[in-house]
Amino acid sequence: MRKFKAESKKLLDMMVNSIYTNKEIFLRELISNASDSLDKLYVTSLENKDNTITRGDLKIKVAVDKDARTLTISDNGIGMTAEELEKNLGTIAHSGSLDFKNSEDKDLEKVDIIGQFGVGFYSSFMVADHVEVISKAYGSDTANKWESDGVEGFTVSEAQRDERGTDVILHIREDDDDSSFDRYLNINAIRNLVKRYSDYIRYPIQGDIEKSRELPKPEDAGDDYTPQYEHYTETETFNSMIPIWTKKKSEVTDEELNEFYKDHFHDSDDPLCTISLHAEGTVSYDALLFVPKNPPVDLYSKDFKRGVALYSNNVMIMEKCEDLLPDCFGFVRGVVDSPDLNLNISRELLQHDRQLKAIEHRIEKKVKAELEKLLKDEREKYEDFFGKFGHGFKYAIYNTFGAQKSLLEDLLLFYSAKFEKPITLSEYLDNMKNDQEEIYYAYGDTVNRLSKSPNVTSALAKDFDVLLCPDNIDEFCLMSIGEYNEKKFHNVSDEALDFGSEEEKEEAKKSDEDNSALFETMKGALGDEVTKVVTSTRLTDAACCITADGPVSLGMEKYLKNFPDAQDKPEAKHILEINPKHAIFETLKNAQAADDTEKIETYAKILYDQALLAEGLDIADPAAYSEAILSLMK
Ligand code: ADP
């Protein structure tokens, strides 16, 4: 018996116990080896001009024997000589496949060799306590057997095998407290693993599946006939073999792409858009990405796992790789396949490297471009999409403190009070008045309510458009964007925002002076609720409104109130503005002239409360408000 070198023993132990997080991965490794051996045979036969070998005959077989507790993976590939068995399987971290790939005279166009680390084979010891490899090399008359229990060493001896190729026979471990190994003796479970990890291996992977069928009912069968079944086995090809993402867009139909999407990502709807990318050069890859029509139910939950499936040479490496997409495009599904990734040794994880960054960058740009195209060409579809996913974009801008604004700001839609439909920020700019310096918005509960708020209607009366923002995140998002094309955002309920002309402002100033006693009395009645009462230059029809004095807007105040346990919630400071053109102003002035303080105080409270209601804010004492109204009606 040949001994493993001491380091090898340690390494083997490490392999079996710590490199892989997932035991089932052994099957992917062994099938990848078999596929490599078929590739090598094919390339070598072309070099040798050997026309006895046709690609169609090359295949991989898996078989289980429950009684013997064996799982066998066979191929009719290039096989190994006794020396090769010793060298390739006796030296851990020696990859015969990598040697093959690196030998200069190989025409690499034709091969997609998967192996590179020289460790995959040993993963079989995670599930097997004894492994036999019987192999007959291409062009050789004799077969040999490599055998090991993975602990002490291995033996190589002469053996019997009729055809060229290799059988890897795994003697499956008994179940223990930690793991169940019996499932590797169930051909249906094996089929599922093949589908999961090796579906796009380009050679058929076949196995015998047990089936049963009902026998025809005999003609003379009586009423008490019970159906009879016969059991038989049928050889099935487990893998679908065609990696649809490697095809150019012209080579596949929309139906095929849609079917692939629905099948793979468990969606009942066709995707909203399909993006196919093919890159060659320093980093080569194929990507097939889908924007779903509807968000998965858990999209905004903590449990949602985003990411695209990552393949390398048609073998699945990761089901959901997060690093290939920015957070804000987390709803994108799809596949990225690249032979150039720096995989780590277990091929379960990948190193965070330049290649990956480069791919992410491309994907990000492409998804954005595709959405912009939809926005431009199919507005209705985009609006529907934005209604479902747009919240995530706004949240991403806010959450990254504006870092993602250049990526996302042109994908945002806000409801225009003027056009009564969603518009982009750029469309808002296109319709701005010549002398307009800022982008106006209003923040509140619903579009309907906002559109009626005095601050909005007065802006509209002056022909300024206002973006109506009913989404909690809206104002925070706009604050994070800060400026769009050098235009700042301004809440229409901000006191500092003044639509009035110079003349109107002068008049208001004079009115404030003339009515200082009246406004003092009103302010006195309202106490700390308001910082002051003033003559408005913004109002057209409404009698009065409130504006925010300082950084906390009315909408933000409302939003913050919804947080159950926040203490010392900042509140907006309110200013009560009275419309000098409204009849109520005359009534107030008359009351002042008549020295009717009680009337002024009652009116002040009613006006303030109804201004709060018009903004969708709560009033402090609804009972007192209705009492005051009733007293007027009496
Ligand atoms: P890797 O596949 O990364 O090279 P492995 O440890 O899985 O590493 O395999 C080691 C080597 O053994 C391979 O490079 C290949 O030369 C050889 N080998 C493994 N399985 C087979 C097979 N089924 N047919 C032919 N050669 C094989």
Side-chain angles (χ1 to χ4, degrees):
M1 176 181 276
R2 309 283 308 265
K3 299 278 178 201
F4 286 123
K5 293 195 188 123
E7 298 81 358
S8 308
K9 258 172 83 177
K10 223 159 85 190
L11 198 58
L12 192 57
D13 190 54
M14 253 168 58
M15 279 292 314
V16 174
N17 296 309
S18 49
I19 289 188
Y20 297 97
T21 48
N22 217 343
K23 288 195 167 64
E24 66 194 26
I25 240 118
F26 79 92
L27 189 64
R28 178 190 78 179
E29 296 297 323
L30 296 179
I31 286 176
S32 298
N33 282 349
S35 165
D36 281 353
S37 85
L38 297 171
D39 267 341
K40 288 181 218 169
L41 175 71
Y42 186 63
V43 173
T44 310
S45 75
L46 290 181
E47 282 169 355
N48 295 357
K49 304 205 166 41
D50 174 355
N51 52 21
T52 63
I53 291 179
T54 43
R55 211 178 159 113
D57 293 334
L58 305 182
K59 55 177 65 123
I60 300 166
K61 280 194 159 176
V62 285
V64 294
D65 182 334
K66 281 197 173 115
D67 299 327
R69 285 192 74 80
T70 58
L71 166 65
T72 303
I73 294 97
S74 309
D75 63 71
N76 55 357
I78 198 156
M80 285 175 276
T81 62
E83 293 74 46
E84 284 167 336
L85 280 169
E86 185 161 322
K87 192 162 123 208
N88 294 338
L89 303 185
T91 322
I92 296 172
H94 171 85
S95 171
S97 293
L98 190 63
D99 289 352
F100 184 86
K101 199 149 79 171
N102 290 344
S103 61
E104 273 164 35
D105 54 338
K106 294 290 175 287
D107 181 356
L108 283 180
E109 288 298 298
K110 297 184 200 73
V111 274
D112 265 343
I113 299 286
I114 305 160
Q116 52 173 327
F117 296 120
V119 294
F121 170 77
Y122 302 99
S123 64
S124 30
F125 289 106
M126 293 191 294
V127 300
D129 48 18
H130 189 82
V131 178
E132 296 169 74
V133 180
I134 300 172
S135 195
K136 190 178 202 173
Y138 171 57
S140 163
D141 296 330
T142 52
N144 293 284
K145 175 156 87 174
W146 179 99
E147 204 169 352
S148 172
D149 58 8
V151 185
E152 278 305 315
F154 63 92
T155 57
V156 177
S157 53
E158 270 194 29
Q160 197 44 46
R161 194 184 199 279
D162 293 341
E163 314 251 303
R164 167 205 75 234
T166 304
D167 303 307
V168 178
I169 305 163
L170 307 181
H171 293 261
I172 299 295
R173 291 174 188 272
E174 297 285 345
D175 279 1
D176 60 30
D177 292 346
D178 300 329
S179 320
S180 150
F181 297 105
D182 284 359
R183 63 198 182 105
Y184 303 122
L185 296 168
N186 175 338
I187 193 70
N188 291 308
I190 294 294
R191 175 177 56 186
N192 292 341
L193 288 179
V194 169
K195 275 222 131 324
R196 189 173 152 89
Y197 292 104
S198 312
D199 203 30
Y200 304 104
I201 292 289
R202 291 177 308 170
Y203 298 99
I205 305 166
Q206 296 179 333
D208 289 342
I209 294 285
E210 277 180 34
K211 301 198 163 171
S212 63
R213 60 183 157 219
E214 194 179 331
L215 291 169
K217 191 173 168 184
E219 278 180 18
D220 56 353
D223 289 346
D224 57 349
Y225 173 76
T226 45
Q228 301 292 304
Y229 293 89
E230 101 178 312
H231 299 278
Y232 64 104
T233 57
E234 197 172 78
T235 303
E236 248 187 42
T237 298
F238 296 164
N239 55 332
S240 57
M241 288 185 279
I242 303 150
I244 194 167
W245 55 85
T246 58
K247 294 188 175 181
K248 299 262 147 36
K249 219 166 184 173
S250 56
E251 297 167 349
V252 277
T253 63
D254 287 348
E255 284 72 44
E256 282 173 305
L257 290 170
N258 291 350
E259 279 318 305
F260 173 80
Y261 167 75
K262 289 192 278 195
D263 233 48
H264 244 72
F265 301 106
H266 313 292
D267 196 341
S268 50
D269 291 316
D270 286 342
L272 182 66
C273 30
T274 303
I275 303 167
S276 126
L277 275 172
H278 304 280
E280 264 161 52
T282 30
V283 195
S284 313
Y285 59 90
D286 298 295
L288 181 60
L289 305 166
F290 303 94
V291 176
K293 249 190 210 125
N294 291 300
V297 278
D298 57 346
L299 180 62
Y300 295 118
S301 88
K302 273 208 302 291
D303 302 329
F304 180 72
K305 207 152 162 21
R306 59 187 194 83
V308 292
L310 183 68
Y311 283 74
S312 189
N313 290 318
N314 303 334
V315 179
M316 193 185 81
I317 305 299
M318 254 176 156
E319 205 156 17
K320 293 200 168 163
C321 175
E322 294 189 352
D323 296 337
L324 288 166
L325 278 174
D327 266 352
C328 56
F329 293 152
F331 51 82
V332 172
R333 323 298 303 270
V335 174
V336 172
D337 190 347
S338 170
D340 296 333
L341 295 172
N342 279 332
L343 301 174
N344 79 0
I345 196 166
S346 68
R347 298 201 288 168
E348 285 174 292
L349 297 166
L350 54 164
Q351 258 89 327
H352 296 256
D353 60 5
R354 288 221 314 282
Q355 278 98 321
L356 202 63
K357 268 266 150 265
I359 302 178
E360 185 200 347
H361 196 68
R362 253 316 281 300
I363 290 184
E364 181 182 294
K365 272 175 105 167
K366 187 74 188 178
V367 172
K368 179 183 176 183
E370 205 64 29
L371 291 173
E372 280 177 334
K373 194 162 146 263
L374 197 68
L375 172 64
K376 199 163 139 267
D377 302 341
E378 294 179 86
R379 183 66 174 233
E380 224 170 282
K381 270 195 188 173
Y382 186 81
E383 284 177 15
D384 181 58
F385 162 82
F386 190 80
K388 289 165 180 162
F389 296 92
H391 180 79
F393 289 173
K394 298 177 196 166
Y395 194 77
I397 292 177
Y398 165 64
N399 222 19
T400 57
F401 306 104
Q404 281 186 335
K405 78 172 195 173
S406 63
L407 176 67
L408 299 173
E409 62 189 359
D410 284 314
L411 294 174
L412 299 177
L413 291 179
F414 293 96
Y415 194 87
S416 151
K418 187 168 173 178
F419 299 103
E420 300 185 347
K421 62 175 190 191
I423 60 168
T424 63
L425 293 176
S426 129
E427 286 162 351
Y428 184 95
L429 255 48
D430 291 345
N431 288 296
M432 252 160 83
K433 287 171 67 175
N434 283 341
D435 55 344
Q436 190 179 345
E437 300 285 336
E438 296 175 306
I439 301 172
Y440 301 134
Y441 71 93
Y443 179 60
D445 298 329
T446 61
V447 159
N448 190 17
R449 213 158 167 174
L450 279 168
S451 65
K452 291 180 186 136
S453 114
N455 285 317
V456 172
T457 51
S458 55
L460 283 176
K462 303 237 149 100
D463 205 29
F464 292 115
D465 192 8
V466 181
L467 300 175
L468 305 182
C469 300
D471 194 347
N472 278 341
I473 198 73
D474 282 336
E475 189 161 38
F476 296 95
C477 166
L478 295 178
M479 293 300 96
S480 307
I481 296 178
E483 279 179 18
Y484 178 78
N485 276 2
E486 296 175 8
K487 302 281 182 203
K488 289 205 170 72
F489 296 94
H490 211 142
N491 191 323
V492 284
S493 72
D494 178 9
E495 186 259 350
L497 180 64
D498 203 336
F499 299 132
S501 62
E502 282 310 311
E503 205 178 311
E504 282 170 312
K505 281 183 206 162
E506 265 315 303
E507 276 173 32
K509 207 172 145 203
K510 185 157 182 307
S511 161
D512 282 350
E513 281 161 16
D514 294 347
N515 296 294
S516 61
L518 168 65
F519 290 159
E520 266 314 303
T521 315
M522 291 177 80
K523 156 85 179 97
L526 297 171
D528 288 342
E529 296 281 319
V530 297
T531 53
K532 54 186 173 185
V533 179
V534 296
T535 312
S536 182
T537 54
R538 68 175 68 216
L539 291 173
T540 46
D541 299 329
C544 62
C545 70
I546 43 174
T547 53
D549 184 6
V552 183
S553 75
L554 300 180
M556 251 186 214
E557 170 184 346
K558 217 177 334 170
Y559 176 66
L560 293 168
K561 280 217 168 92
N562 291 334
F563 281 102
D565 42 36
Q567 286 183 352
D568 297 332
K569 291 175 204 171
E571 286 193 355
K573 295 202 179 73
H574 298 166
I575 293 172
L576 180 61
E577 295 194 10
I578 308 290
N579 184 354
K581 285 169 264 172
H582 199 280
I584 198 77
F585 195 44
E586 277 311 304
T587 313
L588 287 166
K589 281 203 275 198
N590 292 339
Q592 176 66 23
D595 229 357
D596 189 348
T597 311
E598 198 184 328
K599 189 169 182 180
I600 297 172
E601 286 178 349
T602 312
Y603 279 29
K605 283 180 188 154
I606 294 175
L607 287 171
Y608 178 64
D609 278 355
Q610 64 103 354
L612 283 174
L613 289 173
E615 290 301 330
L617 290 162
D618 287 339
I619 55 178
D621 190 346
Y625 173 71
S626 70
E627 195 51 49
I629 300 272
L630 290 173
S631 74
L632 286 183
M633 293 168 79
K634 267 188 245 159

